[in-house]
Amino acid sequence: MTISDGPTRRNPARTGGIVTRGQFSGVSGLGGHCAEPATAARAPRSRKEPARLTAARTVTPVRSASRTYRPAAPISVHHILSGLRRGGSDPCFRTQPGDPIWRATRTPDGPALVRLVVRITGGEVEATAWGAGAQWVLDGVPELLGEGDDASGFVPRPEHAKLVQAWRSRPGYRVPRSRAVFEALVPAALEQRVTGLEARRAWRILVVKFGEPAPGPAPEATGLYVPPDAATWRQIPSWVWLKAGVDEARRRAVLAAAQVAGRLEATVDLPHDEAARMLRTVPGIGIWTAAEVRQRAHGDPDAFSWADYHVSRNVSWALTGTVMDDAGCAEVIECYRGHRYRVQKLLELDAVTRPRRAPRMTLPTHLPR
């Protein structure tokens, strides 16, 4: 089966049995009074762009809702959500130790901003959301925080001492499930074959330029942006991609995914293996990019980042003391099938990496000479 373009399919909101819902509250709830929308000022453009992109963008009226999520066991919220943040300058994500987590996202119902406050004493997570997609986001908080991830069958082997230590340090880690497939795919495509610094710079430039200010209270929401929708990604001029440092191959991968964004969202309800196959039918989306998407949007604990320059080398070294390629690493972690991404992430969170002594690569510009 190959993905083809079609109407956007909305994923049904689901909650687990261990969730205790709080009452929706806010100014006057989701249907209450809305503040007057503020217009975001934009500097004049020196070059012509499509009318859709040059039109003034307006902030979504402030509408708030809230809920309290009580997980069945203690969870590490900051560690769970760390993979959704694209570097320290991610315009869609904001967090500091001890502070609330802020995340801007685009839902089937529209843009949303969610704030998560962890109550250490009671083990609760208080979630407040703003925007047209507030209810969709709040309904998905349990899945976002890994409620559907079953780690009960994961037992690190005694000979893998670094993994044993990483799991002992973070027993509350769970694999998140954002349910936002296209939103996870775009930054993953931007990260293909380049350094993290290059990819994160491109992500920030494009989201700030073509996204929209996140709904929510000022000044807390100031500086946060909701990523562009699929139609907007498709209308970004080619020269803007180049100025952001994105080469033609990565640009085409994003555009191909944007063409079938509605069908991509439907993969979130498929079995993990089938979702991986469907994602890879999109031109420019290979085994690595599909895994990066499944780790975040689908909550797949086995989505190991094969074909990555560092991951197999780091994981094999951590478990055996020997640096191996994908084939060698696959043999070592076969005993953890079903949890191979969990192995990867736990070692990453524990900062376990192989020794490296080579000089850093010089970053290319990707601009035509």
Side-chain angles (χ1 to χ4, degrees):
M1 181 176 180
T2 301
I3 293 178
S4 59
D5 196 9
T8 302
R9 174 182 173 186
R10 297 187 178 183
N11 294 323
R14 296 172 296 172
T15 54
I18 62 172
V19 181
T20 301
R21 285 180 173 272
Q23 294 296 320
F24 287 95
S25 61
V27 178
S28 295
L30 279 173
H33 173 72
C34 297
E36 290 296 325
T39 301
R42 300 188 66 186
R45 301 189 184 280
S46 58
R47 300 189 63 172
K48 185 177 180 180
E49 293 182 8
R52 175 184 174 89
L53 302 184
T54 56
R57 297 175 297 178
T58 58
V59 180
T60 302
V62 177
R63 298 181 292 176
S64 67
S66 62
R67 71 173 296 173
T68 298
Y69 169 55
R70 299 181 178 90
I75 57 175
S76 303
V77 175
H78 284 266
H79 293 139
I80 291 171
L81 298 181
S82 62
L84 302 182
R85 188 181 189 185
R86 304 293 179 165
S89 62
D90 188 345
C92 308
F93 201 104
R94 181 184 296 158
T95 181
Q96 294 292 336
D99 291 342
I101 298 172
W102 296 81
R103 179 173 179 263
T105 184
R106 186 172 296 280
T107 78
D109 298 327
L113 176 68
V114 63
R115 179 186 66 195
L116 300 172
V117 178
V118 182
R119 305 298 183 192
I120 303 299
T121 54
E124 301 174 346
V125 179
E126 179 184 307
T128 306
W130 294 265
Q135 185 171 350
W136 190 91
V137 166
L138 292 177
D139 287 340
V141 165
E143 290 182 272
L144 181 67
L145 298 181
E147 182 186 78
D149 178 34
D150 183 9
S152 60
F154 175 68
V155 181
R157 293 192 172 189
E159 62 267 28
H160 298 154
K162 289 183 172 61
L163 181 59
V164 171
Q165 176 58 38
W167 181 231
R168 184 178 298 143
S169 301
R170 294 171 178 82
Y173 173 74
R174 296 294 182 268
V175 179
R177 187 174 187 266
S178 73
R179 304 176 294 158
V181 180
F182 179 71
E183 188 172 284
L185 189 148
V186 174
L190 295 178
E191 292 172 1
Q192 293 176 352
R193 301 179 299 278
V194 297
T195 65
L197 181 62
E198 294 173 275
R200 290 162 187 167
R201 174 181 175 273
W203 171 248
R204 177 170 182 81
I205 289 173
L206 295 172
V207 169
V208 171
K209 195 176 187 68
F210 299 107
E212 59 185 286
E220 292 89 347
T222 304
L224 286 167
Y225 289 81
V226 177
D229 59 17
T232 302
W233 282 109
R234 292 168 61 185
Q235 294 186 53
I236 298 176
S238 59
W239 59 268
V240 176
W241 293 91
L242 285 174
K243 288 187 68 174
V246 180
D247 57 47
E248 184 63 13
R250 289 182 290 151
R251 182 179 82 95
R252 287 180 177 175
V254 173
L255 296 182
Q259 186 74 23
V260 293
R263 298 298 186 186
L264 289 174
E265 299 303 331
T267 65
V268 78
D269 294 318
L270 296 177
H272 292 318
D273 290 344
E274 179 64 11
R277 190 190 69 79
M278 293 283 286
L279 289 169
R280 293 179 63 185
T281 64
V282 179
I285 305 304
I287 185 173
W288 181 86
T289 308
E292 294 289 311
V293 174
R294 287 154 50 214
Q295 294 163 7
R296 295 164 173 84
H298 298 77
D300 187 349
D302 200 45
F304 192 87
S305 297
W306 302 112
D308 187 277
Y309 184 79
H310 298 292
V311 172
S312 287
R313 293 172 173 84
N314 287 338
V315 171
S316 59
W317 179 84
L319 299 184
T320 68
T322 302
V323 176
M324 303 178 184
D325 58 11
D326 278 0
C329 184
E331 294 184 9
V332 172
I333 65 172
E334 177 61 28
C335 59
Y336 297 117
R337 178 174 287 275
H339 300 277
R340 290 176 293 184
Y341 171 62
R342 195 186 314 278
V343 172
Q344 171 188 329
K345 186 63 178 180
L346 285 171
L347 293 173
E348 177 186 316
L349 289 172
D350 223 32
V352 179
T353 60
R354 70 191 188 283
R356 288 184 284 174
R357 300 180 179 85
R360 291 183 178 273
M361 296 174 60
T362 301
L363 300 182
T365 64
H366 299 294
L367 293 173
R369 297 182 182 277

